[in-house]
Amino acid sequence: MRIDLAVIGGTGVYALGELTDVETLQPDTAYGAPSGPIRVGRLAGQRVAFLARHGEGHSLPPHKINYRANLAALKAMGAQRVLALNTVGGISEHFGPRVLACPDQLIDYTWGRISTLCEEPGSDVLHVDFGDPYTPALRRQVIAAAEHAGVALVNAGCYGATQGPRLETKAEIARMRRDGCDLVGMTGMPEAGLARELGLDYACLAIIANWAAGAGPDVDEVITLDDVLANVAVAMAGVPKILQRLLTA
Ligand code: HPA
């Protein structure tokens, strides 16, 4: 089967309503089962696979997601391009709620997650190049698609991947800002690193749901799931337009 694009949905994105002729697959992999069923259908005349990273009912916290199985399953289905939708908090000025961004860098603050395919005895040790953690060519395609579709998108940024599932303290966000992070999310790693090990083209389309702790104009604002989901729903309006363009370019 050929898949023109695989999309992994994050918090608040549990389906791609625009898919037609949908087939539901439940693949298994050498690493176990993915987060949930993979829906394969058509969008803009192309074959698109969609997987909800946290499971369809958001049952998996970030550190329990089987990132290896998710990516291995998409690769085994014939996907080469993976677009990761990640719901994130914004840290720096241009990354406020309801903004879309396509980061070009990341810093990994996660711990204790299986972050490589080189775990099993006898597997080859891979030291993949990761200087540019997101595939530059796919990023360019995403940025061009957004431009052509007339959807505002911040075309750079550094994604800080935290462990979760709790949100960060103000001090943690202040440190991340000093480190150079523009965005904070809990699922960017090990996903990006595993995609590189698997030889997949991988880019992140970040959906900014809230100001990270202490980063917004109201430093004492409490982040609620309701606000996160409401902002994701607004920002998601632009995503199908970007996908359409990406698939027809
Ligand atoms: N921090 C980490 N992950 C997130 C946030 C946040 O503020 N918002 C949405 N995902």
Side-chain angles (χ1 to χ4, degrees), residues 87-89 162 167-168 184-186 210 212 223:
T87 298
V88 299
T162 55
L167 294 162
E168 299 72 33
V184 53
M186 302 174 190
N210 54 277
I223 303 163

Side-chain angles (χ1 to χ4, degrees), residues 60-170:
L60 294 167
H63 63 291
K64 293 283 188 193
I65 291 167
N66 190 339
Y67 296 94
R68 298 198 300 176
N70 288 353
L71 290 167
L74 293 170
K75 179 167 172 142
M77 288 168 60
Q80 175 57 33
R81 293 194 297 176
V82 177
L83 182 63
L85 306 182
N86 294 90
T87 298
V88 299
I91 298 176
S92 54
E93 193 188 340
H94 300 292
F95 296 82
R98 297 180 295 280
V99 166
L100 296 174
C102 188
D104 58 345
Q105 276 300 326
L106 69 76
I107 299 178
D108 187 6
Y109 301 90
T110 67
W111 48 269
R113 302 181 182 187
I114 299 177
S115 56
T116 175
L117 304 173
C118 318
E119 279 283 314
E120 282 68 29
S123 61
D124 291 339
V125 178
L126 303 169
H127 294 292
V128 290
D129 180 272
F130 203 47
D132 286 308
Y134 303 109
T135 306
L138 183 54
R139 285 192 63 252
R140 282 195 293 274
Q141 290 165 15
V142 171
I143 291 163
E147 241 167 61
H148 287 131
V151 177
L153 175 79
V154 181
N155 66 10
C158 180
Y159 179 118
T162 55
Q163 179 68 3
R166 66 164 177 82
L167 294 162
E168 299 72 33
T169 65
K170 292 177 187 174

Side-chain angles (χ1 to χ4, degrees), residues 184-225:
V184 53
M186 302 174 190
T187 53
M189 283 296 281
E191 200 173 87
L194 291 166
R196 182 62 52 84
E197 286 191 351
L198 283 163
L200 293 165
D201 296 326
Y202 180 92
C204 166
L205 181 52
I207 302 162
I208 300 157
N210 54 277
W211 284 113
D218 173 5
V219 293
D220 292 323
E221 185 183 14
V222 173
I223 303 163
T224 69
L225 185 61

